[in-house]
Amino acid sequence: MTSDERYTEYVTGRLEWLHKIAFLLCQDWAHAEDLVQITITRLYVHWRRASKVDNLDGYTRTILMRVFLAEQRTGWRKWVTARRPPPDTPTAPVDPDMGLDLRAALLALAPRQRASVVLRFYCDLSVEQTAEILGCSPGTIKSQTARALMTLRHDLRRSPLKERLA
């Protein structure tokens, strides 16, 4: 099997996973597609090195996180906008209202807090692994995650869904 075939096989098997992570970060399917496209392009450019690492999923996830965070710093989304937003077609959560409330609360978090929450709880990474991906200390991850969870709890307690559940 050639190097390109191994790359294609890996990316094909991981596209859905990458899209889910990207969506959790940006809450927009079109933007998530852009993040994934940049990620798999960078992965291809570095495929010779990447294909030799022990944890290829971790390597790819790190690229995705760095692309997302770099974009947040540059403000790219502020000056590149579509005229008409594409239709949003996520898979339906068990409780659509709770999914919408959680998505809105996640979107309200600062980018690094959102990245910390997604890596820690969706990707199920340790504090140390998350710190390595985001290029900071484990203490920073702990404080970012704690602040993010506090904000999420607060936002979800205030949501209209809480009144329906009471």
Side-chain angles (χ1 to χ4, degrees):
M1 183 180 290
T2 68
S3 179
D4 282 351
E5 290 171 337
R6 286 193 306 274
Y7 167 81
T8 302
E9 181 181 336
Y10 174 76
V11 169
T12 302
R14 289 313 211 184
L15 271 179
E16 184 177 340
W17 172 73
L18 285 169
H19 279 108
K20 285 179 183 178
I21 294 172
F23 179 76
L24 287 172
L25 292 170
C26 66
Q27 299 297 311
D28 176 3
W29 286 108
H31 185 194
E33 179 66 36
D34 292 342
L35 291 172
V36 169
Q37 196 63 41
I38 294 167
T39 299
I40 63 176
T41 301
R42 289 189 183 170
L43 180 63
Y44 182 77
V45 169
H46 299 288
W47 182 248
R48 175 175 266 155
R49 180 179 4 153
S51 64
K52 296 176 185 172
V53 299
D54 291 335
N55 184 358
L56 187 53
D57 287 345
Y59 189 93
T60 307
R61 189 175 39 238
T62 299
I63 294 172
L64 176 61
M65 288 298 155
R66 289 181 179 167
V67 166
F68 169 72
L69 291 173
E71 185 179 281
Q72 297 303 303
R73 285 189 296 271
T74 62
W76 176 85
R77 294 290 295 170
K78 292 177 184 167
W79 48 268
V80 177
T81 57
R83 295 199 184 268
R84 201 170 8 153
D88 194 288
T89 56
T91 56
V94 175
D95 180 355
D97 292 334
M98 180 58 139
L100 292 174
D101 290 342
L102 184 57
R103 284 176 47 195
L106 243 168
L107 190 57
L109 294 175
R112 290 188 72 82
Q113 288 180 358
R114 194 175 330 141
S116 296
V117 168
V118 169
L119 287 171
R120 292 279 293 122
F121 301 108
Y122 182 75
C123 297
D124 199 27
L125 297 181
S126 69
V127 170
E128 292 75 19
Q129 291 168 320
T130 304
E132 184 179 333
I133 289 172
L134 296 180
C136 59
S137 72
T140 300
I141 294 301
K142 290 176 185 177
S143 66
Q144 291 285 326
T145 304
R147 285 187 194 117
L149 291 176
M150 186 172 56
T151 302
L152 286 172
R153 284 185 194 109
H154 179 264
D155 288 354
L156 291 174
R157 281 189 189 118
R158 295 185 304 139
S159 77
L161 179 65
K162 176 155 179 20
E163 295 165 9
R164 287 192 301 269
L165 294 175

